[in-house]
Amino acid sequence: MSSICLWRVALARVPALAATSLVLVALAHAGTDAPLRTAIAAERARPAAPLHARADFLLQPAVSEAALSPDGRTIAYLREPVPGQRELWSQPVDGGAPRRWLQRTEATELGWSQDGRWLLLASPTQLFAQAMAGQPGSGLVSPLGGRLQQRWAAVDPTRPAAVLLVAQASTEPVSWQLVRADMHGQREVLRQDAQRLVGFALAPDGRLAWLQRIEGDASVIHRVDRSGALIETLRCAELHRCGLLPRTTDAGDLLLRSDLQGSLRGLQRLDAAGRLHPIYNDPRGEADIDELTLDPLTAQPVFADHRSTAPLLSGLGAEMQRHAAALRRALPGRVLRVQVGRGPGARWLVSERGDSLQVPRWQCYDPTSGRLEQVLDFPPISQRSGMPATAVPEAALAHRLPIRYRASDGLTMRGFLSLPSGADAAKLPLLALVHGGPWSHASADYSATAQFLANRGYAVFEPNYRGSTGLGRDHVLAARGDYGGTGRVLQDIGDGVRWLLAQGVGDVQRVGIVGASFGGYAALAGVTFSPDLFKVGVASVPPPDFSWALRSIARSAEADVVSGYMPFEHWLSLLQLDPRDAAAMARLGAQSPLAQAASLRRPVLLIAGGEDRRVDLSGVIDYAARLKALDKPVTLLVDPQAGHRNDDPLGREAALYLMERQLQQSLGGPQPAPPDAVLQAYLARNTRLGEEMPRLRP
């Protein structure tokens, strides 16, 4: 039987919600346009969605985090009955009464001790232990962050009730420590080292068995013998990624997520002799592992999930493969994250997300019967009003269709397309929605911005251009530093737009480009260097010169996080973006929207934050002033309290309104609903340029 026939048989068994995505993914490899045409036809056949209010896309889940106890009997969760008021609750999986433990907490992350008697709550400033078994003793385990850069690395997988911390030592000269701490803050230093510690693995008996350090320009993995001596075993250099799992196998081998045996990041085993053995890679050969699920008792991996193409949950081992297949059948097309419980009557907790699922769902899974039951079913909260709200129905939201196309130099590109339901795709205005980073990626999860724009009648294209993560090391390196306005990275975005137009998606006279951070830079570059294609640009927190942004990050505390703790300048040099390379920075500067401001002939909307620590506000203002002096069509909104991300619901709605208004005037989308008095006052306070936005002809 042919592969296409096999897929027809498979699709006959798949619910309609997932069918479009599966057709598109399965047949794309055949090199035909049939899958896209099939997807377009399916979207057009759906009932047209009603127009939803802007505030409907500014909802937040009532439950922000949930953690299953190791015995699979209790779910702890962080609930926000109103925005900014986070509470700690727990409830039995058998349906018993929930209990509130803390009325207020700053925690954003939860974890259980191995024995299930303690719940760990991590905030940006502290790690707190909540006693959960009726015993006294709740209290501070450790401060986090701060001058010593202390971070919670893991729950200790070898002790009943302990955690593992990595921090700078307070002694001179500066050194780094791996620390075991119990629930009362008593500390045991497992390793003190002159080099920065970034990874470790404990043997089953709790001894430090493997250590990962930054040594010069590489991440080096050492085996630790029983005397504490280090034996260099593996070097991760040249942008190879090596992430250690916190416990060894029973035989003492190290488990790690790495791309050392190929472009994609998979799961590998490192033996004492330094030999790597593959355990798991994406069976489709498409995407990196996004996350691993660890067994709560053994800390060994049991599930892997992928999100940067079509979502896939994979089981590791025959038993988990059966469970993964059952969950995929029950929740087709979803992004799934599983927490496993162990012991008699244990349940599993499944986080269910999806492209057309505005608020994540939590499902309780019985591994014995295969039965799923929704739990933690609270209404979402409106960020604008602070009151419970109704999520936008799935039928009114767009499907995020995975696509692939070839760039003009032949490299395969991937991305997503969202189409308004019930619409003729060929007649729609088309928007490129460009992700930030650029070392990030668009994923198969829900996107509020993409859904808002699709609801307004736009076809939305989200490219994972070269340099994006999630698609393997080769894809990241393929950018070769060519991020200038006429460079290869920006060409990938334009190539994707032109490919979609050629496939009958979008009106060539009504194309725009939208993005934030690097996506904002791409939007400015698009309208500056490709005005025949892009008729309007909307840029949030955009660096008008990418070389400025690189230098700014290099001076900030974020540099270590972005580069994985290796020297930031060296990391950038491997990407051919070394800020110390005067010629490379001059080339980027010359190809920037800032340098070519006089060439702009399309309208731009700029949105910036006064407290942005990643993109300097003065650069955005300087760019806007140049455009104004050149009599270019520019609108500028500056929220003086906002950072690189604006967490103020009013500010976020203002950005949606201004974007909606600009796109309507430039591309002929629907007229936006007028702002209410509160939003109008915000706009009056914070709009710096462009009270009246001109309508430009194509």
Side-chain angles (χ1 to χ4, degrees):
M1 186 182 293
S2 72
S3 60
I4 291 179
C5 289
L6 284 170
W7 272 101
R8 286 174 178 162
V9 172
L11 285 170
R13 302 171 183 169
V14 175
L17 181 65
T20 300
S21 296
L22 287 174
V23 169
L24 198 55
V25 174
L27 296 186
H29 296 279
T32 72
D33 295 333
L36 184 57
R37 289 196 297 270
T38 301
I40 292 171
E43 295 304 290
R44 186 173 185 180
R46 297 173 62 200
L51 200 67
H52 282 266
R54 288 183 295 270
D56 291 349
F57 295 91
L58 297 175
L59 305 185
Q60 69 178 46
V63 174
S64 59
E65 180 79 359
L68 181 70
S69 61
D71 64 5
R73 293 180 175 274
T74 305
I75 303 169
Y77 55 97
L78 296 173
R79 182 183 175 190
E80 293 191 42
V82 296
Q85 183 178 320
R86 198 172 301 126
E87 303 174 344
L88 174 65
W89 290 75
S90 72
Q91 71 178 54
V93 298
D94 63 7
R99 174 178 176 179
R100 185 172 68 183
W101 295 85
L102 297 173
Q103 188 171 0
R104 287 190 178 274
T105 175
E106 298 299 317
T108 57
E109 187 179 356
L110 300 177
W112 289 86
S113 63
Q114 278 275 43
D115 61 9
R117 293 168 58 85
W118 301 87
L119 185 71
L120 283 306
L121 294 88
S123 75
T125 59
Q126 68 171 20
L127 182 63
F128 182 87
Q130 175 67 44
M132 300 292 286
Q135 77 273 20
S138 299
L140 179 70
V141 174
S142 176
L144 298 178
R147 183 177 58 84
L148 299 183
Q149 303 182 51
Q150 192 156 239
R151 64 181 176 90
W152 177 28
V155 169
D156 191 327
T158 66
R159 294 290 186 268
V163 297
L164 297 161
L165 307 163
V166 175
Q168 280 188 350
S170 58
T171 57
E172 294 291 342
V174 173
S175 62
W176 293 86
Q177 292 181 338
L178 173 64
V179 176
R180 172 182 284 137
D182 67 16
M183 298 299 100
H184 304 292
Q186 296 298 310
R187 301 163 73 92
E188 173 192 1
V189 177
L190 300 182
R191 178 80 189 184
Q192 183 154 325
D193 204 289
Q195 307 298 324
R196 183 165 197 155
L197 306 181
V198 294
F200 59 86
L202 304 183
D205 62 3
R207 177 182 61 86
L208 178 62
W210 296 85
L211 193 71
Q212 183 181 21
R213 311 188 305 184
I214 297 297
E215 299 181 17
D217 297 332
S219 162
V220 183
I221 297 173
H222 300 266
R223 185 164 55 85
V224 185
D225 70 15
R226 290 192 172 273
S227 71
L230 301 184
I231 304 164
E232 183 177 324
T233 309
L234 188 69
R235 297 183 72 84
C236 297
E238 304 300 316
L239 289 185
H240 282 291
R241 298 161 295 172
C242 300
L244 278 58
L245 273 62
R247 213 202 84 163
T248 70
T249 67
D250 289 342
D253 291 348
L254 177 68
L255 299 175
L256 66 160
R257 288 192 298 172
S258 172
D259 56 12
L260 283 169
Q261 292 188 315
S263 176
L264 296 178
R265 182 167 55 179
L267 178 63
Q268 299 172 9
R269 177 173 60 85
L270 178 66
D271 65 25
R275 295 184 295 263
L276 279 170
H277 307 268
I279 296 176
Y280 172 82
N281 276 92
D282 181 0
R284 307 163 300 179
E286 295 177 354
D288 292 332
I289 291 175
D290 267 289
E291 291 190 61
L292 287 169
T293 295
L294 304 184
D295 186 289
L297 301 183
T298 66
Q300 301 300 288
V302 290
F303 288 108
D305 75 85
H306 307 268
R307 303 173 190 175
S308 51
T309 56
L312 176 66
L313 176 72
S314 290
L316 306 179
E319 178 193 0
M320 294 305 172
Q321 287 173 10
R322 290 193 298 272
H323 288 301
L327 289 168
R328 293 196 304 266
R329 286 193 301 269
L331 304 168
R334 300 300 202 198
V335 176
L336 303 176
R337 182 84 166 93
V338 183
Q339 298 180 45
V340 174
R342 292 301 195 190
R347 300 293 191 269
W348 298 359
L349 184 63
V350 180
S351 166
E352 176 194 358
R353 289 168 166 79
D355 54 359
S356 58
L357 189 61
Q358 187 180 25
V359 178
R361 294 189 185 125
W362 299 93
Q363 305 277 357
C364 190
Y365 175 70
D366 185 339
T368 302
S369 66
R371 181 169 168 266
L372 277 167
E373 178 183 1
Q374 189 171 345
V375 294
L376 309 182
D377 186 16
F378 303 104
I381 305 300
S382 168
Q383 295 181 11
R384 179 70 193 277
S385 70
M387 300 297 292
T390 301
V392 178
E394 284 202 70
L397 294 173
H399 294 151
R400 211 170 189 186
L401 309 171
I403 61 172
R404 72 182 217 169
Y405 63 95
R406 290 199 182 278
S408 51
D409 66 350
L411 190 66
T412 297
M413 295 289 123
R414 296 184 181 274
F416 297 90
L417 174 67
S418 300
L419 296 172
S421 58
D424 182 351
K427 298 179 180 179
L428 297 173
L430 174 61
L431 294 175
L433 174 58
V434 185
H435 70 73
W439 303 288
S440 179
H441 61 267
S443 74
D445 212 334
Y446 175 84
S447 165
T449 302
Q451 291 291 357
F452 171 76
L453 292 169
N455 185 255
R456 290 323 189 245
Y458 297 95
V460 183
F461 165 53
E462 298 173 85
N464 278 326
Y465 47 83
R466 73 193 68 197
S468 301
T469 58
L471 299 170
R473 177 174 177 270
D474 291 347
H475 194 73
V476 174
L477 292 175
R480 300 183 182 278
D482 201 5
Y483 288 87
T486 59
R488 188 64 258 177
V489 171
L490 277 300
Q491 289 178 49
D492 290 345
I493 299 167
D495 288 345
V497 170
R498 294 183 181 91
W499 180 81
L500 285 172
L501 291 167
Q503 309 309 313
V505 177
D507 177 352
V508 70
Q509 297 300 324
R510 296 193 296 158
V511 179
I513 183 167
V514 175
S517 194
F518 180 85
Y521 165 80
L524 298 180
V527 290
T528 302
F529 297 100
S530 300
D532 292 338
L533 180 62
F534 298 112
K535 307 306 190 292
V536 62
V538 178
S540 295
V541 292
D545 183 333
F546 189 47
S547 68
W548 286 11
L550 296 175
R551 294 188 183 100
S552 177
I553 295 173
R555 295 190 298 268
S556 75
E558 294 186 23
D560 283 345
V561 178
V562 172
S563 65
Y565 302 104
M566 76 166 54
F568 184 66
E569 290 84 358
H570 176 71
W571 182 78
L572 285 177
S573 72
L574 296 174
L575 295 168
Q576 301 180 37
L577 285 170
D578 192 341
R580 300 166 298 187
D581 185 336
M585 294 301 101
R587 184 171 60 253
L588 272 180
Q591 296 179 356
S592 71
L594 179 69
Q596 301 298 324
S599 301
L600 182 71
R601 57 187 179 91
R602 298 299 186 191
V604 294
L605 167 63
L606 306 174
I607 299 171
E611 295 297 324
D612 194 337
R613 296 293 179 260
R614 179 169 289 194
V615 172
D616 191 345
L617 175 62
S618 63
V620 181
I621 291 177
D622 178 52
Y623 175 66
R626 291 192 193 192
L627 294 181
K628 183 66 174 178
L630 292 165
D631 199 27
K632 302 295 182 178
V634 56
T635 299
L636 172 64
L637 179 84
V638 177
D639 185 332
Q641 306 302 318
H644 196 60
R645 169 187 165 90
N646 194 339
D647 293 321
D648 177 11
L650 194 60
R652 296 180 65 190
E653 185 174 351
L656 291 180
Y657 168 74
L658 290 176
M659 176 168 60
E660 188 178 14
R661 188 176 76 164
Q662 179 70 81
L663 294 176
Q664 188 277 326
Q665 295 191 2
S666 300
L667 303 180
Q671 186 74 31
D676 61 20
V678 176
L679 183 57
Q680 185 64 55
Y682 175 94
L683 292 166
R685 288 195 307 273
N686 298 312
T687 301
R688 301 290 188 261
L689 292 174
E691 291 294 332
E692 297 295 327
M693 293 183 288
R695 187 194 309 259
L696 293 192
R697 295 179 179 178

